[in-house]
């Protein structure tokens, strides 16, 4: 879970010839072509940022500000958002960094708002996201804010409270209450069988990861080795999970490019 943790873990795993299954990060740094035994499923942060910029420009917003965390994650989101804007012959009206402890969230917000943006893209995770959203609402309530999937945890939504209302979040798995999709129906049945009736993008992503890992194990056969698991995971191409398709292969590109937008409702729940 997380970019720096995976950046530290992957070289150790590669040296041991061990496959790394479905890291929880969209960072390009762990999607290098030479990482042939790293199996990223979720869409990358670049995919998420591109979807956000595509949506903003489609609805006519051109003055876009970017808040990014002062770490690898934030800088990678900034790079991806800038590239997506450049493709559309645009530049951010402001791009401001925020420290990991959110100590400069208020001043960063002031700088962003001074640029008179139509909307903000938040390349932030954890406390910085919460503090920037709250600061924006204090000064300019109603300004559209767009964040990445890492915001969509129950803890973050609770911490935001009423300040979260209207914030858009990109997601890399289908909507967990959409029971018209076979994959989601199967997930819901499994959750209910375990006595859990609260559905979330996070637990659905875990379910998808486990389903794909199980398919890799099945293909590896009875004589399971690290090499056999790597080969079997690489063989997963065009695999339909029930409305969502994944394709690995050699190299660490994402097996899925799925990204869609959700919004936080006034009740603090995610809606489509």
């Amino acid at each position: 879970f997380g970019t720096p943790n995976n950046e530290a873990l992957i070289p150790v795993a590669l040296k041991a010839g061990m496959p790394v299954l479905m890291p929880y990060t969209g960072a390009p740094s762990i999607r290098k072509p030479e990482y042939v035994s790293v199996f990223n499923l979720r869409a990358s942060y670049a995919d998420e940022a591109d979807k956000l910029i595509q949506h903003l420009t489609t609805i006519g917003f051109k003055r876009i500000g970017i808040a990014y965390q002062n770490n690898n994650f934030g800088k990678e989101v900034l790079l991806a958002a800038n590239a997506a804007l450049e493709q559309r012959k645009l530049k951010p009206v402001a791009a401001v960094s925020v420290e990991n402890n959110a100590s400069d969230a208020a001043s960063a917000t002031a700088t962003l708002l001074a640029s008179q943006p139509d909307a903000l893209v938040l390349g932030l995770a954890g406390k910085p996201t919460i503090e920037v959203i709250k600061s924006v609402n204090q000064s300019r309530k109603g300004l559209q804010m767009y964040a990445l999937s890492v915001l969509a945890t129950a803890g973050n939504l609770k911490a935001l409270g009423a300040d979260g209302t209207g914030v858009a979040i990109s997601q890399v798995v289908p909507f967990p209450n959409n029971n018209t999709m076979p994959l989601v129906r199967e997930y819901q049945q499994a959750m209910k069988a375990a006595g859990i009736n609260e559905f979330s993008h996070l637990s659905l992503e875990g379910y998808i990861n486990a389903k794909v890992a199980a398919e890799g194990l099945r293909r590896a056969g009875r004589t399971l080795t690290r090499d056999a698991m790597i080969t079997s995971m690489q063989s997963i191409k065009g695999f339909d999970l029930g409305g969502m398709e994944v394709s690995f292969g050699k190299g660490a590109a994402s097996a899925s490019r799925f990204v869609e937008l959700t919004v936080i409702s006034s009740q603090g729940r995610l809606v489509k």
Side-chain angles (χ1 to χ4, degrees):
F1 191 106
T3 301
N5 297 338
N6 279 292
E7 286 175 342
L9 175 149
I10 285 168
V12 179
L14 292 177
K15 191 175 179 181
M18 184 181 290
V20 178
L21 305 184
M22 284 71 84
Y24 188 87
T25 168
S29 57
I30 66 161
R31 284 167 166 74
K32 297 173 183 175
E34 61 266 30
Y35 285 178
V36 295
S37 58
V38 178
F39 299 96
N40 293 293
L41 197 152
R42 60 172 15 238
S44 69
Y45 293 141
D47 292 326
E48 290 192 63
D50 187 69
K51 180 73 173 183
L52 295 178
I53 298 298
Q54 178 193 34
H55 173 78
L56 284 165
T57 53
T58 300
I59 62 176
F61 288 164
K62 292 184 178 179
R63 295 185 60 80
I64 298 166
I66 302 170
Y68 66 97
Q69 205 142 325
N70 190 20
N71 61 10
N72 284 350
F73 157 71
K75 289 169 185 174
E76 286 168 348
V77 174
L78 174 65
L79 198 66
N82 275 333
L85 284 167
E86 197 173 313
Q87 282 176 5
R88 295 159 178 87
K89 297 180 169 53
L90 294 170
K91 289 182 178 181
V93 291
V96 182
S97 69
V98 183
E99 292 302 319
N100 292 326
N101 62 5
S103 58
D104 57 349
S107 59
T109 300
T111 303
L112 282 168
L113 295 182
S115 69
Q116 294 296 307
D118 297 326
L120 296 178
V121 171
L122 309 178
L124 305 168
K127 188 178 181 183
T129 331
I130 293 156
E131 294 304 317
V132 166
I133 291 171
K134 288 186 173 184
S135 292
V136 169
N137 282 335
Q138 283 176 5
S139 302
R140 195 177 154 189
K141 196 163 182 65
L143 178 64
Q144 279 295 133
M145 290 179 273
Y146 290 76
L148 275 71
S149 56
V150 290
L151 175 61
T153 66
N156 284 339
L157 297 182
K158 186 177 179 182
L160 278 170
D163 281 297
T165 303
V167 174
I169 304 174
S170 55
Q171 303 288 355
V172 296
V173 297
F175 197 67
N177 291 312
N178 177 19
N179 59 14
T180 61
M181 184 180 285
L183 168 64
V184 176
R185 276 202 307 276
E186 183 188 303
Y187 150 78
Q188 289 181 353
Q189 288 164 5
M191 291 286 276
K192 287 173 183 175
I196 302 166
N197 293 301
E198 281 288 318
F199 308 136
S200 69
H201 288 87
L202 192 62
S203 61
L204 175 55
E205 183 170 354
Y207 182 81
I208 291 167
N209 289 347
K211 190 174 171 72
V212 173
E215 177 65 15
L217 289 165
R218 186 188 69 76
R219 294 186 184 202
R222 291 179 178 274
T223 310
L224 183 63
T225 64
R226 293 175 182 182
D227 284 343
M229 188 64 177
I230 290 168
T231 301
S232 71
M233 290 296 294
Q234 288 173 343
S235 76
I236 295 175
K237 293 173 185 172
F239 181 50
D240 186 1
L241 298 169
M244 180 181 176
E245 194 174 277
V246 296
S247 292
F248 289 106
K250 292 186 178 179
S254 297
S256 167
R257 300 287 300 277
F258 181 93
V259 183
E260 68 176 14
L261 296 187
T262 56
V263 177
I264 304 175
S265 73
S266 56
Q267 286 77 43
R269 294 183 172 275
L270 292 167
V271 295
K272 277 184 75 174

